[in-house]
Amino acid sequence: MQRASLHAFLLLAVALAIAACVTTRGPELEPRYIALHNAFAAMGLAQVGPVQRASLAEGREARLPLELVAECTTIALFGGQGVRDLDATLLGPGGAPLAKDVTRDSQAVLRTCVDAPGTYTLVVKMAAGAGDVLAATWVGGFGARAAPASSAVVSASAVGTCDSPMALSPGTFTGSTTRGESEHEGTCTSSTSREVVYRFELTTRKRVTIDVNPHFDSVIYLRKEDCADPDAEVACNDDAPHDHDSHLDEELDPGIYYFFVDGYSSEVGTYKMNVAMTDVPTVEEVCQKARMLATGVPATASTRGLYDHLHSGGCGDSAKGPDAPYRFDLARRARVRIVERSNDFTPVLHVRKRCTDTKSEVGCTDSGFAAGEATFATVLDPGSYAVIADGADRDADGSYSVAAEVAPENGQAGIPGDTCADATLLGAVDPAAAGDTFLARDDVSVRCGGTGAPDVIYRVEVAKRSRLQAQLERQEGSHVLALRKACSDVSTELACSASIDHVVEPGVYYLVVDGDANMGMGRFSFAFRLREVAAQETACRAARTLVSGQTVKGTTAGGSDKFVGTCAGSYDAQASPDAVYRIALPARGRVRLNVTSTGYSPVLTLRRACVDGASGSASPEIACNSDGSNVYRAHIDTVLDAGVYFAVVDGQARGSQGPYALEYVFSPVTAKTR
């Protein structure tokens, strides 16, 4: 085709595309551009580079940089409402004019074949009128020269398939899946729709962000190296950030990638796509810029705009959020506590000997004393460490703080409750019991704890036979509780575990909070309650015996709180009055208990002994129920051997009391019913 006739043919294509969209008003050029895109694609042209925009007054001009390859290039321009005449000239790297369009129209088209890749300049002049201008570039078509192997252009006649993908580069693109093929599917949703395939190549690690704003329900996915292999997928997204939009934000290593614009189910249509590719620093560069973490001075910063370089080896789901490394220097062997805090994401703190080496990790944590904290507490040898403030969830970023504290390896004197002599006195109900073993010394050894771990000691004074309960709730590191009669004599130890539940006689006892076998240390809190059993004994002696098939009615209002149940809330907060009943089973059988209440949430417990500790166990509970599906009902259905049992009607947590009806049914278990 001769140059003049080719130019006229391209102008005709532009005119026909615009004629297809004559109802378009104002500066909204996307429908006209999509029509032009489809017309050029049908001619074997492939769009490359971003869509560029300018807004010009009459007589003014704009210079737009174009990155061109050694290929035949078509540049199409059209103006918005108010534009009457556009002139356009393409200048080479040296400033010499290569192509020019001076037709008197609101659109213009240039066609040229360049011999060398480089930065060219498109000069756009508003000859008449004023308004917005859009310019886009295509390659190939009409017997175009083949691009060299190093070219970013995939194919001169790219149609958007794996065999002929379209080139993708930073910028704004528009397209349509209506003429695509239906050969591929992403892993994040089901699709039988048509897809369009793009190709791009990275020579360095980059962060690639692609936002697809479609006129249909889109699905996007990305594959590396092998376009046709579903197992090569590295990312897939549907409905983000909105129902029909799709978003991709990935840090990608060098390589060849294939990007798919697909549709949910069988949906197809047009779309607009924004592509950004930014350089990502290497792990070495990030570690080289690590800031110093000083003891006693919290560092505050944000992970927004940072990258996910450093993964943890053993916690926080590998720590997939953006991260920030710090350098921490320790002059001598000592206890070290480092706390990361954030209200914006789930913090993960990991510590390494060498910042770039995952295998040199010496510790990792994703939990702490309070929500939004991650605490690392241990004994470290002298040296330089990398402390990495990280997050558990991918793309979750925000503000954070990280603080370091150092203490002597063997602790220091003067800590409250550090020795048997200055043990802290616990009240009968002490829901706020808390302490810190980080600065404490190792004064006693417990049977289930770690040798050499620091400990804190509490004193308990028991006036009457009572049930003593204690349970660790929040903590840094890992601790255990030990109850003993003589503080420094391990042979008097009555129990050792993360929780204590024991009936004790009158006297003085010691509750030790010690580090576990892993040298746990740090802040802790535990719930504590000391409950006299005399009130239970009185209530149990007066307990009424239930008769199978009958319903008894009563009220807990105005009564006393004598029993606790495992399903009635945390035991330090249980303070609802209760009533106890006796059950005598003549033989093995099925026991069904059902309680309904008026105006409060009942709790029903079944016990093998009425009084705590009477059967050698502090907790004689067999079953406990507080029916979550009906706040005014609780029930128990179980099989028991012959014997005497006790049912307790209680209330949930604190102050739950009022009228109730308790139904009891017993059915003997025979050979047929077993």
Side-chain angles (χ1 to χ4, degrees):
M1 185 178 291
Q2 297 296 319
R3 181 181 181 88
S5 59
L6 172 60
H7 185 268
F9 184 79
L10 291 171
L11 279 175
L12 177 61
V14 173
L16 289 174
I18 294 174
C21 302
V22 292
T23 59
T24 300
R25 297 180 179 178
E28 186 182 343
L29 304 176
E30 284 77 3
R32 298 163 61 187
Y33 170 73
I34 292 171
L36 178 64
H37 182 283
N38 293 336
F40 276 11
M43 289 184 260
L45 280 75
Q47 189 235 317
V48 296
V51 176
Q52 301 206 52
R53 296 174 182 268
S55 183
L56 298 172
E58 186 169 331
R60 304 301 295 269
E61 68 178 29
R63 291 176 173 260
L64 307 178
L66 299 179
E67 295 294 331
L68 303 183
V69 297
E71 175 65 282
C72 291
T73 302
T74 300
I75 305 168
L77 305 91
F78 33 57
Q81 187 176 19
V83 177
R84 300 195 304 276
D85 185 13
L86 285 177
D87 288 344
T89 304
L90 181 66
L91 305 180
L98 302 180
K100 191 171 185 179
D101 185 301
V102 292
T103 56
R104 298 182 62 82
D105 206 335
S106 61
Q107 59 263 352
V109 63
L110 304 178
R111 174 77 176 178
T112 186
C113 296
V114 300
D115 296 323
T119 302
Y120 293 73
T121 302
L122 177 64
V123 181
V124 182
K125 182 177 181 180
M126 185 67 66
D132 296 328
V133 180
L134 182 150
T137 306
W138 281 264
V139 297
F142 309 104
R145 300 187 305 234
S150 62
S151 172
V153 178
V154 177
S155 170
S157 58
V159 295
T161 65
C162 276
D163 292 333
S164 181
M166 292 188 288
L168 191 65
S169 59
T172 300
F173 301 85
T174 53
S176 174
T177 62
T178 54
R179 296 186 180 181
E181 296 184 357
S182 181
E183 295 184 348
H184 303 278
E185 184 178 43
T187 60
C188 56
T189 191
S190 174
S191 173
T192 59
S193 183
R194 299 175 181 269
E195 73 276 343
V196 174
V197 186
Y198 294 85
R199 177 189 184 274
F200 63 93
E201 183 174 359
L202 301 181
T203 57
T204 60
R205 182 173 172 83
K206 288 184 180 292
R207 180 176 185 177
V208 177
T209 304
I210 304 176
D211 287 289
V212 175
N213 307 115
H215 292 153
F216 63 103
D217 192 351
S218 66
V219 179
I220 61 176
Y221 41 101
L222 183 69
R223 296 175 182 172
K224 185 177 181 182
E225 304 299 343
D226 192 339
C227 181
D229 184 7
D231 292 335
E233 184 178 287
V234 295
C236 183
N237 180 261
D238 176 36
D239 295 343
H242 306 294
D243 285 347
H244 295 310
D245 295 352
S246 298
H247 174 77
L248 181 144
D249 190 344
E250 296 287 329
E251 295 170 29
L252 301 176
D253 292 321
I256 296 174
Y257 294 87
Y258 297 90
F259 177 70
F260 296 74
V261 180
D262 207 335
Y264 173 74
S265 185
S266 59
E267 294 196 29
V268 296
T270 59
Y271 57 87
K272 180 180 179 181
M273 182 166 62
N274 294 309
V275 181
M277 300 181 184
T278 56
D279 290 331
V280 175
T282 65
V283 174
E284 290 75 14
E285 291 172 335
V286 170
C287 287
Q288 287 173 0
K289 296 179 180 179
R291 290 172 287 175
M292 186 67 70
L293 180 62
T295 58
V297 183
T300 58
S302 174
T303 58
R304 292 186 180 94
L306 301 183
Y307 302 96
D308 178 27
H309 284 293
L310 306 167
H311 293 167
S312 65
C315 70
D317 194 21
S318 297
K320 297 176 181 177
D323 41 58
Y326 290 82
R327 178 180 172 181
F328 178 72
D329 292 338
L330 191 63
R332 61 183 61 85
R333 182 174 170 85
R335 295 180 187 177
V336 174
R337 173 163 58 189
I338 305 173
V339 182
E340 178 187 1
R341 296 181 174 91
S342 177
N343 293 324
D344 296 332
F345 58 89
T346 301
V348 179
L349 188 69
H350 40 122
V351 180
R352 301 177 179 179
K353 283 292 292 180
R354 294 174 297 279
C355 181
T356 59
D357 184 7
T358 304
K359 295 181 180 179
S360 70
E361 186 173 282
V362 297
C364 176
T365 177
D366 55 6
S367 62
F369 181 73
E373 289 187 357
T375 302
F376 171 78
T378 190
V379 175
L380 292 178
D381 291 323
S384 183
Y385 295 85
V387 174
I388 300 156
D390 211 332
D393 303 317
R394 178 175 177 164
D395 299 331
D397 56 15
S399 300
Y400 71 92
S401 68
V402 58
E405 184 180 358
V406 175
E409 179 183 0
N410 296 319
Q412 63 187 52
I415 304 303
D418 188 37
T419 67
C420 292
D422 64 353
T424 303
L425 181 64
L426 282 174
V429 178
D430 199 338
D436 191 348
T437 58
F438 180 68
L439 296 176
R441 298 176 301 183
D442 178 31
D443 296 291
V444 298
S445 295
V446 299
R447 288 173 177 166
C448 63
T451 302
D455 47 63
V456 173
I457 304 168
Y458 293 85
R459 188 168 181 262
V460 182
E461 297 178 353
V462 180
K464 296 181 180 180
R465 190 169 190 267
S466 301
R467 181 180 182 182
L468 186 152
Q469 295 173 291
Q471 181 174 325
L472 284 166
E473 294 187 325
R474 298 182 295 162
Q475 56 182 322
E476 295 173 330
S478 183
H479 298 83
V480 294
L481 299 172
L483 179 67
R484 56 179 53 172
K485 183 65 177 172
C487 181
S488 58
D489 187 356
V490 70
S491 67
T492 66
E493 199 163 275
L494 304 174
C496 189
S497 180
S499 62
I500 301 291
D501 192 344
H502 203 82
V503 172
V504 293
E505 301 299 329
V508 176
Y509 295 83
Y510 294 88
L511 185 66
V512 181
V513 182
D514 204 347
D516 70 356
N518 296 316
M519 276 292 292
M521 64 180 73
R523 293 176 293 167
F524 62 84
S525 69
F526 62 92
F528 177 79
R529 168 169 284 194
L530 190 65
R531 183 194 297 266
E532 293 181 7
V533 298
Q536 286 186 348
E537 293 172 337
T538 300
C540 291
R541 285 194 296 268
R544 176 180 173 183
T545 300
L546 295 176
V547 178
S548 178
Q550 294 185 359
T551 298
V552 297
K553 296 183 178 181
T555 182
T556 58
S560 61
D561 178 27
K562 304 169 288 295
F563 299 90
V564 296
T566 57
C567 63
S570 60
Y571 54 74
D572 64 295
Q574 292 184 42
S576 295
D578 43 55
V580 60
Y581 293 87
R582 182 177 181 271
I583 300 174
L585 301 186
R588 178 176 172 82
R590 183 178 181 183
V591 172
R592 281 175 284 188
L593 295 163
N594 185 73
V595 63
T596 55
S597 65
T598 303
Y600 71 98
S601 297
V603 173
L604 186 60
T605 58
L606 183 63
R607 299 163 65 95
R608 62 175 53 87
C610 190
V611 179
D612 292 337
S615 60
S617 170
S619 181
E621 182 180 285
I622 298 172
C624 184
N625 180 260
S626 178
D627 196 341
S629 62
N630 186 340
V631 296
Y632 300 122
R633 174 179 179 267
H635 70 283
I636 291 174
D637 189 337
T638 188
V639 174
L640 300 173
D641 291 327
V644 177
Y645 300 87
F646 295 86
V648 177
V649 178
D650 205 339
Q652 186 68 236
R654 187 181 303 275
S656 295
Q657 57 185 312
Y660 64 85
L662 175 63
E663 179 187 8
Y664 163 61
V665 176
F666 170 73
S667 304
V669 174
T670 63
K672 290 184 178 180
T673 59
R674 272 182 201 177

